[in-house]
Amino acid sequence: MSDPLPPLAAIPPDVAALADYEPLARERMTPSAWAYFSGGAGDEWTLGENVAAFARHRLRPRVLRDLKGGGTGITLFGADLAAPILLAPVAFQKLLNPDGELATVMAAGALDTAMVVSTQASVRIEDIAAHASAPLWFQLYIQPDRAFTADLVRRAEAAGYKALVVTVDAPVNGLRNREQRAGFALPPGIGPVNLAGMQPPPPSPRGALLFGTPLLDLAPTWADLAWLRGLTRLPIILKGITDPDDASRTVEAGMDGLIVSNHGGRTLDGVPAGIDLLPPIATAVDGAIPVLMDGGIRRGTDVLRALALGAKAVLIGRPYIFALAAAGAPGVAHVIRILRAELELAMALTGCRDIASIDRSVLNPPDGVAR
Amino acid sequence: MSDPLPPLAAIPPDVAALADYEPLARERMTPSAWAYFSGGAGDEWTLGENVAAFARHRLRPRVLRDLKGGGTGITLFGADLAAPILLAPVAFQKLLNPDGELATVMAAGALDTAMVVSTQASVRIEDIAAHASAPLWFQLYIQPDRAFTADLVRRAEAAGYKALVVTVDAPVNGLRNREQRAGFALPPGIGPVNLAGMQPPPPSPRGALLFGTPLLDLAPTWADLAWLRGLTRLPIILKGITDPDDASRTVEAGMDGLIVSNHGGRTLDGVPAGIDLLPPIATAVDGAIPVLMDGGIRRGTDVLRALALGAKAVLIGRPYIFALAAAGAPGVAHVIRILRAELELAMALTGCRDIASIDRSVLNPPDGVAR
Amino acid sequence: MSDPLPPLAAIPPDVAALADYEPLARERMTPSAWAYFSGGAGDEWTLGENVAAFARHRLRPRVLRDLKGGGTGITLFGADLAAPILLAPVAFQKLLNPDGELATVMAAGALDTAMVVSTQASVRIEDIAAHASAPLWFQLYIQPDRAFTADLVRRAEAAGYKALVVTVDAPVNGLRNREQRAGFALPPGIGPVNLAGMQPPPPSPRGALLFGTPLLDLAPTWADLAWLRGLTRLPIILKGITDPDDASRTVEAGMDGLIVSNHGGRTLDGVPAGIDLLPPIATAVDGAIPVLMDGGIRRGTDVLRALALGAKAVLIGRPYIFALAAAGAPGVAHVIRILRAELELAMALTGCRDIASIDRSVLNPPDGVAR
Amino acid sequence: MSDPLPPLAAIPPDVAALADYEPLARERMTPSAWAYFSGGAGDEWTLGENVAAFARHRLRPRVLRDLKGGGTGITLFGADLAAPILLAPVAFQKLLNPDGELATVMAAGALDTAMVVSTQASVRIEDIAAHASAPLWFQLYIQPDRAFTADLVRRAEAAGYKALVVTVDAPVNGLRNREQRAGFALPPGIGPVNLAGMQPPPPSPRGALLFGTPLLDLAPTWADLAWLRGLTRLPIILKGITDPDDASRTVEAGMDGLIVSNHGGRTLDGVPAGIDLLPPIATAVDGAIPVLMDGGIRRGTDVLRALALGAKAVLIGRPYIFALAAAGAPGVAHVIRILRAELELAMALTGCRDIASIDRSVLNPPDGVAR
């Protein structure tokens, strides 16, 4: 693999789709950063399945419908969004671009797109907020140090973040062999700056692997969610729900939303694709709270499929990350714009003039033979 | 890719099947013309699926039946055709051969095959008609300039075209990334000559992508079909129906036929293969009007499958286009002849002595295990 | 491809399975002979599927059963055979070995294996019979010249052939593009010597492809089978039955047996694999006459599967043909011996001590998940 | 292939998963030893399917559960084991490492893991026991010489082995073509030392392949299991059960456990994967005796799947064998530790705090679409 290269000065004319950024990004990243951002858990089955599964949900065009006055706008947690597409939380964006999360938030603002900022951002959340011109949500890992966690929530509220996205599917790190093999480590000067000052957990007993260590003993539980619920009036959205029963419990626990997600295939390999996890969860929630999804979105048709199967909106991760590495803020903006244009096209060709009119009727049966 | 080459002076003896023309054509085309004619929408899943899906419909030979006096002739919209195989509308054929559509129409005539001429033909429709010795149909895009559209219909009637094929699945261009990446553009001297003099649509508002632009605001609707129905006594055949409900509405709207088509995989990626879209539409139409299909036909066995699943006839596109590029009019005639011979063979081996005797009994169940 | 080589003087020690002969054969054959013997119809989907389909029928081992005194012998049409494995009819074997069918019949005799001799054998059927020490059957194409056909039957009876195998699935040649592309033609000195003196059919009318030509007008029908039934007291076995209704009619027509076969994938591409065609035909025949099968047998486990699904015996074609080309008569004998040893092993490991005890209980469900 | 290399002095840092040992092992083994240990029966379909099938069983994460105080310990046949993972019996380990089975048993002891010692061990079972610090079981092939077999059982009892694992699925050797082609043979100084002094079976009659030979005539039957049951008070566990009816008979015969196994794909090709064979057998046994499984375990998630589908524990074979060849005892210990850590992670992410809480609820439906 060649040495990393600086971001492109201009977007090449043959970049026509989100996937076109991936090889450009790879050239511009160190092998270990590439392993960190592109890799998944275990044998990376879920990582690949996230993308591949969309093709099994076949579209059904409808013709000659009146499309005048249509659009892609939605209202979500009280905010008007230009399209049902958000930027997913991704850590350490300075590994990709010298401006890190600041480049991303400026691109998001330019295209009126909500961004979810990671607990592990490499820029202070207050600085990100200072550069924002579209809604920001804050992604929270409940830390072993609960007092520090409460302080983080206060900081997010004060900085104007509009919602908390609590990631619940990663009490421990996933098994990311590609990262291990590449020897990924944060370089000097890049780190989780928003966690500065946090109390480290006690050491693990000798010989323990996971069970019996503070990592699992202090992992958050539903009780911690109740504590958090009492702590803030911000909407709380659980990210990483894959089980319909957990989805029902999310509603019962008074949460405001949930994100169906297998964490981009980065935690447990062997979990179905995000798009396949969505339908039973949408059924379980039955409209009580908004259901979002992420995982494998690469096309406007994928957004359409997710909305057809019950999502109110989707989040993208790697596609904007690769654009950030390849071309900085203009790349991120380009990715958002491509995806929105593709969604409009997919809506027009399936006869949907607005987001509310997207439902299962835009899909053919998933088994490869229309009936 | 090497420079384009002139058409072959003679068809090589090892050209035995439609697919054999594809590599020969590619050598003779510019990379951007190749991208334009061979490419599909998005990730080209539908493009590939159109061809691949046929193999999932397994044939059932029947033996020792009396085949004397059989044949492949049909009557369609009042015309006797030698076989249930037509040439689909394809734009800008001068990109493939200096004579363009004139070469195609002469080959079609030589083999007594109906041709559907594109609105975007690179030769005037009157000139094409002057060279025709088999039935011609005219493919119509309803243009934003409705008066011009009416004039086109009048010209087609006057030139002796026998039917209007109204393409309804492409109110906007498909997302053809391969074309974009190849930078496809029409060279000087080749263009949609039949649209000369048409009024351009008003400019789009700044920032609009598709919704809110004249492209969608002026796109044809069912109301325009009613207008067209009142405008002409020619049979009107809707091309691009993929939804059974749209098929029923086609019947109710007084149309004379329909073509099940995903536009050769060129509009919306993720739509099932043409052959898989056919059965539910044939069921919905239930014989009220003729149902045709296109998409992925490469073999006489594919024609047999389409007829078995409810089509009255099929159209081929890329196969004759590639033959036109490779070997001109003789190539097109060769392709038609191969396909007809293959259809006769497939009929003989499944025990069908004429087109009327082809039904679902020539197929085994589609799941790979005969029962 | 290198020039053909003479047969191997000795079988190499690393030839352990039937498939190992294929590359050795290819080296020793002309490209056009290779195309003729190894190729199939159309896109060769059925050719590949014949082999691939076996793996979808999963085996079920049974343990600790008493296997003493077991064996593989069967009785078929009154003859005792060492194993339910026969040599299928294959034309023009002198293309593969200077001794042609004589090499094959000597190997068959050495291993006590019945051989079906082709109408298109390159050696006179009387000469083959003179070298036989195991049962011979005669494969018959009913020729347009019915008197000549009757004479062929008389010759087979006189030479001691024990059954007629009437091939009914090839009234016309299959569409074998690979042969066409390779320009296959019989070399001087090799031909269908048993058809010498036959009256050629009348010429076809100009422009006719298949329908309307003598080829189809004179193709055999069920009426000709009745004629043949009256002509001989030999058992008549129809080869090329793929449809359960045709199988029932075979019984009603007083035939003595049938062979489920798609002609090694050489007639109509898109027909299911032989092993998948077998079960519904075995059900339709319901034991009234013996059902045999061919197509894709490469392993003793394949023989076991075919017997489990209703076949009384199987025929192999290409495997012995490739061995004949690679190593002459010793190669053919080796192939028969390997297959028989593999069948014994498969029987032992599924707890079957004789052929009669093989039934569906040796199979797991075909969908990849045992229940 | 290069010459074999000595074991690695240190485990390379990029060895992160069990599969990483495979290429390292291959470099260090002779081609024929590689063929022997890595190869399978026939076309090796089952060999590959054993691994591939796990991915069809999709995991279902559950979040926010209390994991404090959890662990992976189980009790099996009266012994406490650190995890439900055992080392499967593998023959002739001196082919892999100069210390052979002694290296393996020391690694197993270091990680508190039970080992099953093969009848065909290349070290005396008493010597292996002398180096053991974790439970040992003895794998027994019932030999044609029954008196010698009884003596083997007595030796295992005397040496402190805690259970007998009677392999019942290999009355004859599997058809291992790769071994045949590689000309595998034991080198001088390595052999089945525990079988020294055994009486050889009588010679086979000329011409017999399997049926009619002493190999099959003296193969063990259920009657021999009754004899063995009367011979020892050790728990008897049948290895190689793939049929639910055989599983029921195992219970009825008074056996203490069974191992669902297709012998690592080394006996009969075409048998389903171990993980797919497991569910119907677990249903048939219905808790009467412990059901274990082996075949294709490469990940902690695979262990989780097997437990979810009814196994009490699993055995691994090739993964530790390859680690033994690559890095000796430290490699074996590393493999055990990786697998245990992966299992803990998989349990934590599916919300299982102990082995007893693992059931089918950790799985999504196997058809690729969650419902």
Side-chain angles (χ1 to χ4, degrees):
Chain A
M1 195 179 287
S2 55
D3 280 343
L5 305 173
L8 293 159
I11 296 169
D14 60 354
V15 171
L18 270 56
D20 294 336
Y21 276 108
E22 189 162 330
L24 300 175
R26 186 168 190 171
E27 284 186 303
R28 280 161 183 77
M29 292 162 72
T30 62
S32 80
W34 174 256
Y36 175 73
F37 286 105
S38 71
D43 297 311
E44 303 192 338
W45 181 88
T46 296
L47 179 71
E49 177 75 356
N50 265 354
V51 172
F54 281 105
R56 291 198 297 266
H57 297 274
R58 313 290 160 77
L59 299 178
R60 178 184 304 205
R62 273 93 53 101
V63 301
L64 297 171
R65 298 192 173 197
D66 190 347
L67 300 167
K68 257 193 291 296
T72 60
I74 62 164
T75 302
L76 194 61
F77 300 118
D80 291 332
L81 303 179
I85 302 168
L86 296 89
L87 301 191
V90 178
F92 308 130
Q93 298 187 14
K94 280 196 172 175
L95 289 168
L96 300 152
N97 184 281
D99 296 325
E101 288 79 0
L102 297 185
T104 301
V105 78
M106 285 185 293
L111 275 128
D112 199 14
T113 301
M115 172 181 176
V116 187
V117 174
S118 169
T119 290
Q120 294 178 302
S122 54
V123 174
R124 283 175 48 84
I125 62 173
E126 291 81 1
D127 295 343
I128 299 170
H131 288 76
S133 56
L136 289 185
W137 299 354
F138 179 61
Q139 179 269 330
L140 178 72
Y141 282 112
I142 296 179
Q143 304 290 336
D145 181 345
R146 297 291 194 270
F148 187 91
T149 304
D151 188 53
L152 264 180
V153 172
R154 296 284 170 244
R155 285 174 56 195
E157 288 173 337
Y161 286 76
K162 301 298 186 202
L164 291 183
V165 173
V166 184
T167 301
V168 294
D169 62 358
V172 290
N173 274 333
L175 178 81
R176 295 208 288 275
N177 291 155
R178 231 198 309 161
E179 259 175 65
Q180 293 172 263
R181 291 182 194 122
F184 174 74
L186 289 172
I190 299 183
V193 294
N194 293 291
L195 298 180
M198 188 171 66
Q199 189 183 334
S204 296
R206 196 177 129 80
L209 296 169
L210 280 180
F211 286 111
T213 68
L215 210 60
L216 282 195
D217 289 350
L218 300 176
T221 67
W222 287 104
D224 295 290
L225 266 291
W227 163 78
L228 186 69
R229 178 71 292 174
L231 197 71
T232 182
R233 302 184 64 175
L234 286 179
I236 303 178
I237 302 157
L238 299 198
K239 175 168 177 288
I241 299 295
T242 63
D243 173 37
D245 293 342
D246 281 350
S248 298
R249 186 147 181 191
T250 301
V251 176
E252 289 157 16
M255 302 294 120
D256 300 284
L258 68 83
I259 303 175
V260 176
S261 172
N262 55 34
H263 212 118
R266 293 168 72 82
T267 52
L268 185 68
D269 199 33
V271 179
I275 192 65
D276 288 331
L277 292 165
L278 175 60
I281 291 179
T283 299
V285 169
D286 196 21
I289 56 173
V291 171
L292 287 72
M293 74 82 67
D294 70 17
I297 297 274
R298 295 293 180 272
R299 289 284 187 184
T301 43
D302 298 337
V303 181
L304 185 80
R305 285 159 165 134
L307 299 184
L309 291 169
K312 292 294 176 204
V314 304
L315 300 93
I316 58 170
R318 290 183 183 88
Y320 85 80
I321 283 301
F322 292 146
L324 178 63
V332 176
H334 189 217
V335 153
I336 298 169
R337 189 180 165 85
I338 289 174
L339 199 58
R340 201 176 292 171
E342 288 185 0
L343 172 61
E344 293 202 14
L345 182 55
M347 290 171 64
L349 294 175
T350 53
C352 299
R353 58 183 297 288
D354 53 28
I355 298 297
S357 64
I358 300 172
D359 60 20
R360 285 212 182 205
S361 70
V362 306
L363 299 179
N364 268 296
D367 59 1
V369 181
R371 293 185 205 287
Chain B
M1 194 179 289
S2 55
D3 281 344
L5 304 173
L8 293 159
I11 296 169
D14 60 354
V15 171
L18 271 56
D20 294 336
Y21 276 107
E22 189 163 331
L24 299 174
R26 186 168 189 171
E27 285 185 303
R28 280 161 183 76
M29 291 163 73
T30 62
S32 80
W34 175 255
Y36 175 72
F37 286 105
S38 71
D43 298 311
E44 303 192 338
W45 181 89
T46 296
L47 178 71
E49 177 75 357
N50 265 355
V51 172
F54 281 105
R56 291 198 296 267
H57 296 274
R58 313 289 160 77
L59 300 178
R60 179 185 302 206
R62 273 94 52 103
V63 301
L64 297 170
R65 298 190 172 200
D66 190 346
L67 300 167
K68 255 193 293 294
T72 61
I74 62 165
T75 302
L76 195 62
F77 300 117
D80 291 331
L81 303 179
I85 301 168
L86 297 88
L87 301 191
V90 177
F92 306 129
Q93 298 187 15
K94 281 195 172 177
L95 289 168
L96 300 151
N97 184 280
D99 296 324
E101 289 79 0
L102 297 185
T104 301
V105 79
M106 286 185 291
L111 274 127
D112 199 15
T113 301
M115 173 181 175
V116 187
V117 174
S118 169
T119 289
Q120 295 177 301
S122 55
V123 173
R124 282 174 49 85
I125 62 174
E126 291 81 2
D127 295 341
I128 299 170
H131 288 76
S133 57
L136 289 184
W137 297 355
F138 178 62
Q139 179 269 332
L140 178 72
Y141 282 113
I142 296 179
Q143 303 291 335
D145 181 344
R146 297 291 193 270
F148 188 92
T149 304
D151 187 53
L152 265 180
V153 173
R154 296 284 170 243
R155 284 174 57 195
E157 289 173 337
Y161 287 76
K162 301 297 184 202
L164 290 183
V165 172
V166 184
T167 301
V168 293
D169 62 359
V172 291
N173 274 333
L175 178 81
R176 293 207 289 274
N177 291 155
R178 232 199 308 162
E179 259 176 66
Q180 292 173 264
R181 292 182 194 121
F184 174 75
L186 289 173
I190 300 183
V193 295
N194 293 291
L195 298 180
M198 188 171 68
Q199 187 183 336
S204 296
R206 195 176 131 78
L209 296 169
L210 281 179
F211 285 111
T213 67
L215 210 60
L216 282 195
D217 289 349
L218 300 176
T221 67
W222 288 104
D224 295 290
L225 267 289
W227 164 79
L228 186 69
R229 177 70 294 172
L231 198 71
T232 183
R233 302 185 64 176
L234 285 180
I236 303 179
I237 302 157
L238 299 198
K239 175 169 177 288
I241 299 295
T242 63
D243 173 37
D245 293 342
D246 282 349
S248 299
R249 187 147 181 190
T250 301
V251 176
E252 290 157 16
M255 301 295 120
D256 300 282
L258 68 84
I259 303 176
V260 176
S261 172
N262 55 34
H263 211 118
R266 293 169 71 82
T267 52
L268 185 68
D269 199 32
V271 179
I275 193 66
D276 288 331
L277 291 165
L278 174 61
I281 291 179
T283 300
V285 170
D286 196 21
I289 55 175
V291 171
L292 287 71
M293 73 82 65
D294 70 17
I297 297 275
R298 295 294 180 272
R299 288 286 187 184
T301 43
D302 299 337
V303 181
L304 185 81
R305 286 159 164 133
L307 299 185
L309 291 170
K312 291 293 175 204
V314 305
L315 301 93
I316 58 170
R318 290 183 184 88
Y320 84 81
I321 283 301
F322 293 146
L324 178 63
V332 176
H334 189 216
V335 153
I336 298 169
R337 188 178 166 83
I338 290 174
L339 199 59
R340 199 176 294 172
E342 288 185 0
L343 172 61
E344 293 202 14
L345 182 56
M347 290 171 64
L349 294 175
T350 54
C352 298
R353 57 183 298 289
D354 53 27
I355 298 297
S357 65
I358 300 173
D359 61 20
R360 286 213 182 204
S361 70
V362 306
L363 299 179
N364 269 295
D367 61 1
V369 180
R371 293 187 205 286
Chain C
M1 194 180 289
S2 56
D3 280 345
L5 304 173
L8 293 159
I11 296 168
D14 60 354
V15 171
L18 271 56
D20 294 336
Y21 276 107
E22 189 163 330
L24 299 175
R26 186 168 189 172
E27 286 186 303
R28 279 159 184 79
M29 291 163 72
T30 62
S32 80
W34 174 255
Y36 175 72
F37 286 105
S38 71
D43 298 311
E44 304 192 338
W45 181 89
T46 296
L47 179 70
E49 177 75 356
N50 265 355
V51 171
F54 281 104
R56 291 198 296 266
H57 297 274
R58 313 289 160 76
L59 300 178
R60 178 184 304 205
R62 273 93 51 103
V63 300
L64 296 171
R65 299 191 171 198
D66 191 347
L67 300 168
K68 256 193 293 294
T72 60
I74 61 165
T75 302
L76 195 61
F77 300 117
D80 291 331
L81 303 179
I85 302 168
L86 297 88
L87 301 190
V90 178
F92 306 130
Q93 298 188 15
K94 281 195 172 177
L95 289 169
L96 301 151
N97 184 280
D99 297 324
E101 288 80 359
L102 297 185
T104 301
V105 78
M106 285 185 292
L111 274 128
D112 199 15
T113 301
M115 173 180 175
V116 187
V117 174
S118 169
T119 290
Q120 295 178 302
S122 54
V123 173
R124 281 175 49 85
I125 62 174
E126 292 81 2
D127 295 342
I128 299 170
H131 288 75
S133 58
L136 290 184
W137 298 355
F138 179 61
Q139 178 271 330
L140 178 72
Y141 282 111
I142 296 180
Q143 304 291 336
D145 181 345
R146 296 291 193 271
F148 187 91
T149 305
D151 187 53
L152 264 180
V153 173
R154 297 284 170 243
R155 284 173 58 196
E157 289 173 336
Y161 287 75
K162 301 297 185 202
L164 291 183
V165 172
V166 184
T167 301
V168 293
D169 61 359
V172 290
N173 274 333
L175 177 80
R176 294 207 288 275
N177 291 155
R178 226 188 324 153
E179 259 176 66
Q180 293 173 264
R181 292 181 194 122
F184 173 75
L186 289 173
I190 300 183
V193 295
N194 293 291
L195 298 181
M198 188 171 67
Q199 187 182 335
S204 295
R206 196 177 130 79
L209 296 169
L210 281 179
F211 286 111
T213 67
L215 210 59
L216 282 196
D217 289 351
L218 301 176
T221 67
W222 288 104
D224 295 290
L225 268 289
W227 165 79
L228 185 68
R229 178 70 292 174
L231 197 70
T232 182
R233 302 185 62 176
L234 285 179
I236 303 179
I237 302 158
L238 299 198
K239 176 168 177 289
I241 299 295
T242 63
D243 173 37
D245 292 343
D246 281 350
S248 299
R249 186 147 183 191
T250 301
V251 176
E252 290 157 16
M255 302 295 121
D256 301 283
L258 67 84
I259 303 176
V260 176
S261 172
N262 54 35
H263 211 119
R266 293 168 71 82
T267 52
L268 185 67
D269 199 32
V271 179
I275 192 65
D276 288 331
L277 292 165
L278 174 60
I281 291 179
T283 299
V285 170
D286 196 21
I289 55 174
V291 171
L292 286 71
M293 73 82 65
D294 70 17
I297 297 274
R298 295 293 179 273
R299 288 285 188 185
T301 43
D302 298 337
V303 181
L304 185 80
R305 285 159 164 135
L307 300 184
L309 291 170
K312 292 293 177 204
V314 304
L315 300 92
I316 58 169
R318 291 184 183 87
Y320 85 79
I321 283 301
F322 294 146
L324 178 64
V332 175
H334 190 215
V335 152
I336 298 168
R337 189 179 165 84
I338 289 174
L339 199 58
R340 201 176 292 172
E342 288 185 0
L343 172 61
E344 294 202 13
L345 182 56
M347 290 171 65
L349 294 175
T350 53
C352 299
R353 58 182 297 290
D354 53 27
I355 297 297
S357 64
I358 299 172
D359 60 20
R360 286 213 181 203
S361 71
V362 306
L363 300 179
N364 268 295
D367 60 1
V369 180
R371 295 186 205 286
Chain D
M1 196 179 289
S2 55
D3 280 343
L5 304 173
L8 293 159
I11 296 169
D14 60 354
V15 171
L18 270 57
D20 294 336
Y21 276 107
E22 189 162 329
L24 299 174
R26 186 168 190 172
E27 284 185 303
R28 280 160 182 77
M29 292 163 72
T30 62
S32 80
W34 174 256
Y36 175 72
F37 286 105
S38 71
D43 297 311
E44 303 192 336
W45 181 89
T46 296
L47 178 71
E49 176 75 355
N50 266 353
V51 171
F54 281 105
R56 291 198 297 266
H57 297 275
R58 313 290 160 77
L59 300 177
R60 178 183 303 204
R62 273 94 52 104
V63 300
L64 297 171
R65 298 192 172 198
D66 190 348
L67 301 167
K68 257 194 292 295
T72 60
I74 62 164
T75 302
L76 195 61
F77 300 117
D80 291 331
L81 303 178
I85 301 168
L86 297 87
L87 301 190
V90 178
F92 306 129
Q93 298 187 14
K94 280 196 173 177
L95 289 168
L96 300 151
N97 184 281
D99 296 324
E101 288 79 0
L102 298 185
T104 301
V105 79
M106 286 185 291
L111 274 129
D112 200 16
T113 301
M115 172 180 175
V116 188
V117 175
S118 169
T119 290
Q120 294 177 302
S122 55
V123 173
R124 282 175 49 85
I125 62 174
E126 291 81 1
D127 295 342
I128 299 170
H131 288 75
S133 57
L136 289 185
W137 298 355
F138 179 62
Q139 179 270 330
L140 178 73
Y141 282 112
I142 296 179
Q143 304 291 335
D145 180 344
R146 298 292 193 270
F148 187 90
T149 304
D151 188 53
L152 264 180
V153 172
R154 297 284 170 242
R155 284 174 57 196
E157 288 173 337
Y161 286 75
K162 301 299 185 200
L164 290 183
V165 172
V166 183
T167 301
V168 293
D169 62 359
V172 290
N173 274 334
L175 178 80
R176 293 208 289 274
N177 291 154
R178 225 187 327 153
E179 259 175 65
Q180 293 173 264
R181 291 180 194 123
F184 173 75
L186 289 173
I190 299 182
V193 294
N194 293 291
L195 299 180
M198 188 171 68
Q199 189 183 333
S204 296
R206 196 177 130 79
L209 296 170
L210 280 179
F211 286 111
T213 68
L215 210 60
L216 282 196
D217 289 350
L218 301 176
T221 67
W222 288 105
D224 296 289
L225 267 290
W227 164 78
L228 185 69
R229 178 71 292 173
L231 197 70
T232 183
R233 302 184 64 176
L234 286 180
I236 303 179
I237 302 157
L238 299 197
K239 177 170 177 288
I241 299 296
T242 63
D243 173 37
D245 292 343
D246 281 350
S248 299
R249 187 148 183 191
T250 301
V251 176
E252 290 157 15
M255 302 294 121
D256 300 284
L258 67 83
I259 303 176
V260 176
S261 172
N262 55 35
H263 211 118
R266 292 169 72 82
T267 52
L268 185 67
D269 200 32
V271 179
I275 193 65
D276 289 331
L277 292 165
L278 175 60
I281 291 179
T283 299
V285 169
D286 196 20
I289 55 174
V291 170
L292 286 72
M293 72 82 64
D294 71 16
I297 297 274
R298 295 293 180 272
R299 289 284 187 183
T301 43
D302 298 338
V303 181
L304 185 80
R305 284 159 165 134
L307 300 185
L309 292 170
K312 292 293 177 205
V314 304
L315 300 92
I316 58 170
R318 290 183 184 87
Y320 84 81
I321 282 301
F322 293 146
L324 178 63
V332 176
H334 189 216
V335 153
I336 298 169
R337 188 179 166 84
I338 289 175
L339 199 57
R340 200 176 293 171
E342 289 185 0
L343 172 60
E344 293 202 13
L345 182 56
M347 289 170 65
L349 294 175
T350 53
C352 299
R353 57 182 298 288
D354 53 27
I355 298 297
S357 64
I358 300 173
D359 60 20
R360 286 214 182 203
S361 70
V362 307
L363 299 179
N364 268 295
D367 60 1
V369 181
R371 294 186 205 286

